[in-house]
Amino acid sequence: MELLLDPAAWVGLITLVVLEIVLGIDNLIFIAILADKLPPAQRDRARVIGLSLALIMRLALLSAISWLFKLTAPLITLGPLALSGRDLILIVGGFFLVMKATMEMHERVEGVSHDQSGSRMYASFWVVVTQIVVLDAVFSLDAVITAVGMVDHLAIMMAAVIIAIGIMLVASKPLTRFVNAHPTVVILCLGFLLMIGFALVAEGFGFKVPKGYLYAAIGFSVAIEALNQIARRNMRHLETLRPMRERTAEGILRMLGKRPINDEEVASGDTLMAADGPFGREERNMVSGVLKLADRNVHSIMTPRTDISWIDLDDPPEDIRREVSETPHGFFPVCRGSLDNMVGIGRAKDIIADILIHGHLRESSLRPPIHVHETVRILDLMEILKSARGQLVLVIDEFGAVEGLVTPIDIFEAIAGDFPDEDETPDIIVDKEYRWIVDGATDMHHFEQTLQVEGLLLDTDNDDYSTVAGYLLQRFGRLPEEHETITLSTARGKFRFEVLEREGRRIAKVLVERYVDDEQQSKDAHVA
């Protein structure tokens, strides 16, 4: 009761509990590192056993205070150097700490693998527990000596040790989880243990290192590591703001052992991806096409309504036969009067066979049309095309009007580039070096890849267009007249767009010219 009513005893107890926890942090860290070598199911058990042994050992040492004081008597004398039993314990424990921390650090720095035959090889449970017991002996001696120097009552000492160990038991699991989730923290903790081991060896030989120096160094290092962890978390947050496909592309390059190209290199044109990168230009365009496929809308790959070749069921059979023979398509939409009055989808050879055999195109030989809404995702559209068995798919708007059609070859062209039919001309024709004649209906992704220019689609927040004509309409803000021009700057230089031809209210042909200086020509020649 006298102790419970004594304010000095309470102050001593609280102070000693804090010191015991501080002195036990290094013990906790090493127990966390050693427990990680065990199977997950045994780690909690090892932590509890290790800290329980630490509690028993400290209580036993407190009970043998008189014996501890006798350990200061010299046992070995080597000239001017006299070593006591306490000194020998500190020296042996310090060397063990330095050796173990060095081995652990070597494994992590050198990347030593613990895997064999595809499964991780764990350490023996009792081997790890034995190492924990040896460490407990070293750290317990320091904690007990501190307790003896702080207070005079054995009961207060034991109560402080029990409370401190209880708090450490509660904190051991989250501390272990945090240490294992942050590899740099493990290296930092091993550095602390090396420093503590060195201090124990020095103290054993009579060169006492003030604990304040150790705590100041540890505190400074912890503060720097805390800032480092905050910086990494902020970088991860910023990384998540980048498009997933851009991060995926960089991840693929790193897996191939290549360094991704940064924005400064793109802006300066100092990129040698085609020369010494993992992909050539065509391969790189295909990889880009795959990664961007899910971000594109169906308008960017479909054949627009104005370019659809369709069969009017009311036309004379001879006109139908001529239309099918002169158009190199395998399937045709068959309608009455207009494209919106759809009857079915006819296969070219079935249409010709009907006209030759029956004298007219029979509706019974037509296949039912497959419709998708204009908001359909490209990946969902691919699944529909797979089940269509080569048949075309019609794209309609919310009012049921036909907007365009999509075939499997359109998906392939979105990945590998343009494959014009016999009755079509290429969308982009090279007029001369740094000069192209471009069809207004050319897909913007294909345009960027062919001219090796990126970012045009990112220059504006408007994504209601997917063609070069749509891009120019957005830039002009109106329907331009023939031979009107506009000059735009990009990361790959300045581009001049001239409207060569209009068909009604549609931009049909565009002349694109790239302005380059001698330095840029030299870089382009090296890349090519």
Side-chain angles (χ1 to χ4, degrees):
M1 289 299 296
E2 292 180 0
L3 287 177
L4 292 176
L5 297 176
D6 185 2
W10 283 102
V11 172
L13 175 64
I14 295 172
T15 305
L16 189 54
V17 168
V18 174
L19 286 175
E20 289 290 326
I21 292 175
V22 172
L23 292 172
I25 288 296
D26 46 11
N27 195 5
L28 264 184
I29 291 171
F30 218 101
I31 288 176
I33 295 173
L34 291 176
D36 186 53
K37 295 180 175 293
L38 294 172
Q42 297 181 357
R43 291 172 188 170
D44 289 341
R45 182 183 170 202
R47 280 191 294 268
V48 172
I49 291 178
L51 290 172
S52 300
L53 291 174
L55 173 61
I56 294 172
M57 197 170 301
R58 292 184 187 190
L59 294 177
L61 290 176
L62 283 172
S63 303
I65 292 176
S66 59
W67 176 77
L68 285 176
F69 282 124
K70 291 180 183 179
L71 291 179
T72 57
L75 294 179
I76 300 175
T77 302
L78 299 173
L81 183 63
L83 300 177
S84 65
R86 175 180 173 276
D87 295 334
L88 292 176
I89 292 175
L90 291 176
I91 292 171
V92 173
F95 273 122
F96 175 79
L97 206 57
V98 170
M99 179 193 70
K100 190 63 182 174
T102 302
M103 292 173 59
E104 292 288 337
M105 187 174 292
H106 177 268
E107 287 187 6
R108 283 163 172 79
V109 172
E110 294 295 327
V112 176
S113 175
H114 295 281
D115 295 344
Q116 183 174 345
S117 300
S119 59
R120 179 173 175 179
M121 301 300 293
Y122 294 105
S124 170
F125 178 81
W126 291 109
V127 170
V128 172
V129 171
T130 302
Q131 295 180 22
I132 292 176
V133 170
V134 174
L135 289 171
D136 284 338
V138 176
F139 291 120
S140 295
L141 183 61
D142 186 34
V144 168
I145 292 173
T146 300
V148 172
M150 283 290 300
V151 295
D152 298 326
H153 300 284
L154 181 61
I156 295 178
M157 298 179 196
M158 289 188 171
V161 169
I162 293 173
I163 294 172
I165 293 294
I167 294 174
M168 290 165 63
L169 273 171
V170 174
S172 63
K173 189 169 184 177
L175 178 65
T176 301
R177 188 164 53 245
F178 176 81
V179 168
N180 292 336
H182 299 80
T184 57
V185 174
V186 176
I187 298 296
L188 183 66
C189 294
L190 291 173
F192 293 163
L193 296 175
L194 281 172
M195 184 172 60
I196 294 170
F198 173 78
L200 291 177
V201 173
E203 187 175 348
F205 281 105
F207 302 97
K208 186 172 180 62
V209 179
K211 294 294 178 62
Y213 292 169
L214 296 180
Y215 296 152
I218 291 174
F220 179 77
S221 301
V222 169
I224 296 298
E225 179 62 21
L227 293 175
N228 182 38
Q229 293 296 330
I230 293 174
R232 291 191 177 198
R233 184 189 62 184
N234 292 337
M235 289 178 63
R236 286 195 297 267
H237 176 68
L238 292 175
E239 187 73 9
T240 58
L241 299 179
R242 299 171 57 205
M244 179 176 290
R245 283 166 185 80
E246 181 180 341
R247 288 179 278 148
T248 303
E250 289 191 2
I252 292 172
L253 290 177
R254 291 193 179 96
M255 289 171 60
L256 294 173
K258 299 296 180 179
R259 178 179 60 84
I261 303 300
N262 57 42
D263 294 338
E264 293 181 359
E265 291 170 325
V266 172
S268 64
D270 188 20
T271 60
L272 301 180
M273 288 288 290
D276 60 358
F279 304 117
R281 185 164 67 91
E282 294 80 6
E283 295 168 319
R284 195 165 67 252
N285 288 342
M286 291 182 66
V287 172
S288 174
V290 171
L291 295 176
K292 292 180 179 179
L293 196 59
D295 290 334
R296 299 173 62 173
N297 58 47
V298 70
H299 288 276
S300 68
I301 66 169
M302 74 179 186
T303 300
R305 178 189 179 103
T306 54
D307 295 336
I308 294 177
S309 299
W310 58 282
I311 301 298
D312 191 342
L313 199 58
D314 295 332
D315 285 345
E318 186 60 29
D319 292 345
I320 295 176
R321 189 190 65 79
R322 186 184 307 108
E323 174 73 17
V324 173
S325 301
E326 294 176 354
T327 307
H329 297 314
F331 289 89
F332 292 86
V334 179
C335 312
R336 273 200 172 93
S338 73
L339 192 58
D340 295 320
N341 189 12
M342 184 74 57
V343 177
I345 303 297
R347 191 162 58 171
K349 65 178 185 178
D350 294 336
I351 295 174
I352 297 296
D354 267 6
I355 293 175
L356 293 177
I357 297 173
H358 302 283
H360 66 279
L361 176 57
R362 298 177 304 161
E363 292 188 26
S364 60
S365 64
L366 301 179
R367 303 183 181 189
I370 301 175
H371 296 94
V372 296
H373 193 261
E374 59 184 346
T375 58
V376 66
R377 296 171 60 249
I378 299 295
L379 298 182
D380 294 335
L381 179 61
M382 290 176 62
E383 294 299 321
I384 295 173
L385 285 170
K386 288 179 183 178
S387 61
R389 299 184 179 275
Q391 183 175 323
L392 56 85
V393 173
L394 295 163
V395 181
I396 61 174
D397 62 14
E398 59 183 318
F399 303 106
V402 175
E403 292 285 318
L405 63 81
V406 183
T407 64
I409 192 65
D410 294 322
I411 299 289
F412 185 71
E413 287 182 340
I415 297 173
D418 192 26
F419 285 80
D421 291 327
E422 294 180 7
D423 62 336
E424 296 178 343
T425 57
D427 290 337
I428 301 176
I429 301 174
V430 178
D431 186 41
K432 62 180 182 179
E433 188 176 19
Y434 302 117
R435 185 182 172 102
W436 302 265
I437 297 176
V438 182
D439 191 296
T442 301
D443 174 51
M444 282 298 295
H445 291 279
H446 176 47
F447 177 80
E448 288 185 339
Q449 290 180 349
T450 303
L451 273 64
Q452 299 184 54
V453 53
E454 296 182 358
L456 294 181
L457 287 174
L458 301 177
D459 286 345
T460 174
D461 295 331
N462 192 340
D463 64 351
D464 291 337
Y465 61 86
S466 57
T467 64
V468 172
Y471 177 73
L472 292 179
L473 287 172
Q474 193 277 336
R475 281 299 186 178
F476 277 105
R478 55 182 173 80
L479 181 62
E481 300 294 335
E482 289 186 353
H483 305 297
E484 274 199 69
T485 63
I486 187 173
T487 302
L488 304 173
S489 297
T490 71
R492 296 287 291 176
K494 288 186 177 180
F495 286 82
R496 174 179 171 271
F497 294 81
E498 178 183 350
V499 179
L500 289 182
E501 182 183 334
R502 270 181 43 184
E503 293 180 357
R505 295 185 298 273
R506 186 174 76 91
I507 299 175
K509 296 291 181 183
V510 179
L511 175 66
V512 181
E513 188 172 6
R514 177 182 170 194
Y515 295 114
V516 294
D517 51 26
D518 294 338
E519 180 182 356
Q520 187 63 48
Q521 288 186 20
S522 175
K523 290 179 179 179
D524 290 344
H526 184 59
V527 171

